[in-house]
Amino acid sequence: MQERDYYEVLNVPRNADEEQIKKAYRKLAMQYHPDRNPGDKTAEENFKEAASAYEVLKNQEKRGLYDKFGHEGLKNTGFGGFGNSGDIFSSFDDIFEDFFGFGGRPRARNAAKPGADLRYDLTISFMDAAFGMETEISIPMHETCHVCAGSGAKPGTNPLICPHCGGKGKIINSQGFFSVSTTCPRCRGAGTIVTEHCRECGGKGKIKRVRTVSLKIPPGVDNGSRLRLQGEGERGENNGAPGDLYVIIEVEPHEFFQRKNDDVFCQIPISFSQAALGAKIDIPTLKESEKLIIPKGTQGGHSFRLKGKGIPRLQGYGRGDHLVRIIVETPTKLTNKQEKLFRELAESEQETTSFFKKEKRKFMKR
Ligand SMILES: [Zn+2]
Ligand SMILES: [Zn+2]
C-alpha cells in the first residue's frame, strides 16, 4: 500500500508543534476508535495509520529523519508501524486514558489492578520529631474477601452472565453521529451478576480490615514530613501491585522551644544587674542544660548561638544550632533597699548614660 504523508494523515502543517500534533491525533483516534466502529475495516486502517503518523511526529528524532528522508528514513529505526490495536493502546496510554466516557483499552475483566495509595496523618511530640521514635499505627483498609476471593458470590454458586450487556460489561448508545459506550448499569462493568451473595463480605468482594504497621520515624522530621512505606497501601487485585502508604507528620508545639528547620529557639529572661554586670546562667537545650556566659553590658533582644545543640539533620549529618534570645526583665516589685539603690543608680546615670549624652546634644542643637 502506498504510504501517505504523515502530516497529511494528521492534517497538520509541516511546522506543527507537539501540542497541535497531539490534538490532531486525539481527534482522529476518537473518530476511528474500534469501540465506535465495530467491524469497520476502513476505520481500523485509519486508526492504525493515524497512530503510526503520531508515533513518528511526536518523537523529535524520528520526525527529523522523516522530514529529511521520508518513509525511507525510518526503515533503520526499527519502526514498522502498528500491527494491531492492542499495541496502539499500550503505546499511547496517556492519550486513551483521557478519553471521556470512552474506555481506551477494551478492559480485560481479570486484569491486574494496582492497590490504592493510602494517607495517614500522625501527630507526634516536639521531642519525638527531634530524636525519632518507633511506633505502631493502625490502618483501616479494604482487602479482597478471603471467602469468595473477591467475586462476591457465595462459594459454590456460579455468577450469571449479565443479560443486560451480554457479559461485555458495557453498552453502546448511539447519540446521532456519535456512539458512546458506557459501563453497564446492571452489572457495573463486571459482565456477570451474582445470584447469591457471599456472607463474609455481603457481595462486595472486599472486607474492611485494620492492619497494624510498625513505623520508624527518623530523627529530624518536621511538620509536613512525608514518610513513604512502599507496598503498605491497599492490596492490589488479580495480582496487581499493592499501593504505598504515606505517613504525613504533624509536630506538636513545645511549651518552651520553637523550631525553624534544624534550629531551636528559646527566650531566657535575665535581670538588669545580670545584663549590666554579666553572668553565667544555665540554658535548657533539647538534651541537657548548657552553661552560657552573658557578657557585661548585654542588651535585651540579643541572641546567643549554641552550635550543634539543635535538631539532628534529617538529610545529612550533625545537628542545627540552639539560639537563645535574651530578655532583660524590668523589676516590678522592689524592696526599699532596692528602690534606694535604683535611685542612686538613676542619679549617677544622668551623667554617664550614653543615650542621654547623645540625645542631649541633639536636643541642644535645635
Ligand atoms: Zn466474599
Ligand atoms: Zn451488564
Side-chain angles (χ1 to χ4, degrees):
M1 189 176 88
Q2 179 67 37
E3 278 181 286
R4 275 169 77 204
D5 177 66
Y6 284 152
Y7 292 97
E8 198 183 301
V9 169
L10 294 184
N11 195 20
V12 291
R14 296 195 84 82
N15 60 358
D17 63 20
E18 254 176 76
E19 213 29 59
Q20 277 175 292
I21 288 169
K22 190 169 180 179
K23 220 169 135 188
Y25 173 59
R26 280 174 60 103
K27 200 175 137 203
L28 292 173
M30 288 269 283
Q31 191 181 340
Y32 297 124
H33 196 288
D35 274 7
R36 277 188 175 165
N37 306 279
D40 183 340
K41 278 277 161 211
T42 316
E44 196 188 323
E45 281 312 315
N46 289 337
F47 186 66
K48 282 187 208 163
E49 191 182 40
S52 301
Y54 178 59
E55 168 70 19
V56 170
L57 297 189
K58 82 183 171 75
N59 178 303
Q60 280 205 350
E61 201 183 322
K62 285 183 193 164
R63 187 177 173 180
L65 285 171
Y66 179 73
D67 284 348
K68 270 193 199 148
F69 309 109
H71 291 286
E72 213 42 42
L74 301 167
K75 289 228 163 109
N76 296 323
T77 62
F79 176 69
F82 288 102
N84 65 59
S85 311
D87 293 343
I88 296 174
F89 292 123
S90 34
S91 294
F92 307 134
D93 246 356
D94 60 326
I95 293 235
F96 289 102
E97 260 166 28
D98 304 342
F99 277 8
F100 180 70
F102 235 90
R105 184 194 301 274
R107 259 175 238 290
R109 211 161 293 137
N110 292 319
K113 196 178 148 209
D117 290 341
L118 295 175
R119 173 192 169 129
Y120 187 91
D121 294 303
L122 180 68
T123 304
I124 59 175
S125 75
F126 187 93
M127 287 300 183
D128 284 339
F131 296 109
M133 68 179 301
E134 282 180 38
T135 186
E136 285 189 337
I137 54 177
S138 301
I139 316 284
M141 56 180 76
H142 293 94
E143 288 192 348
T144 303
C145 172
H146 55 95
V147 173
C148 63
S151 74
K154 188 176 166 184
T157 66
N158 278 323
L160 292 177
I161 300 288
C162 172
H164 194 67
C165 62
K168 288 199 188 78
K170 60 188 171 183
I171 41 176
I172 296 180
N173 295 313
S174 292
Q175 295 173 350
F177 174 74
F178 289 106
S179 63
V180 175
S181 97
T182 51
T183 304
C184 171
R186 180 87 189 269
C187 64
R188 293 199 183 89
T192 51
I193 290 178
V194 171
T195 47
E196 273 187 83
H197 286 164
C198 162
R199 285 217 185 116
E200 182 73 15
C201 62
K204 292 194 186 81
K206 289 193 162 204
I207 43 173
K208 254 191 184 167
R209 207 165 79 83
V210 173
R211 195 145 53 91
T212 307
V213 175
S214 26
L215 190 63
K216 200 170 172 187
I217 297 172
V221 293
D222 203 349
N223 263 321
S225 289
R226 202 177 76 157
L227 308 177
R228 178 179 174 219
L229 283 83
Q230 208 174 349
E232 296 287 0
E234 297 257 3
R235 306 288 98 182
E237 285 176 41
N238 302 316
N239 294 322
D244 296 335
L245 170 65
Y246 290 94
V247 178
I248 315 289
I249 302 288
E250 195 194 325
V251 182
E252 284 175 338
H254 193 273
E255 57 173 329
F256 186 60
F257 299 129
Q258 282 94 49
R259 167 175 177 180
K260 193 177 172 195
N261 302 326
D262 300 328
D263 293 335
V264 174
F265 296 80
C266 72
Q267 296 197 328
I268 297 289
I270 61 172
S271 69
F272 264 166
S273 54
Q274 284 176 314
L277 304 173
K280 196 174 178 187
I281 56 174
D282 286 323
I283 304 292
T285 65
L286 292 185
K287 274 210 162 147
E288 61 271 297
S289 99
E290 297 283 331
K291 291 268 184 243
L292 178 68
I293 292 172
I294 309 276
K296 265 187 186 178
T298 292
Q299 302 293 332
H302 186 82
S303 283
F304 294 95
R305 184 179 289 265
L306 301 169
K307 280 242 167 239
K309 300 292 177 188
I311 309 267
R313 294 202 171 90
L314 187 59
Q315 322 276 355
Y317 301 99
R319 290 167 61 178
D321 300 335
H322 187 115
L323 286 109
V324 183
R325 189 179 141 90
I326 297 298
I327 299 171
V328 178
E329 283 197 321
T330 308
T332 49
K333 279 180 188 162
L334 296 173
T335 61
N336 287 340
K337 193 185 169 193
Q338 282 171 331
E339 190 165 334
K340 195 170 158 259
L341 288 170
F342 266 111
R343 288 195 186 284
E344 277 174 35
L345 179 65
E347 273 165 38
S348 68
E349 267 172 358
Q350 303 275 341
E351 296 309 316
T352 60
T353 308
S354 58
F355 174 80
F356 278 110
K357 273 189 188 163
K358 261 189 270 166
E359 297 303 304
K360 227 181 202 168
R361 255 185 256 133
K362 268 193 217 163
F363 293 141
M364 301 294 233
K365 275 183 193 161
R366 270 181 215 159

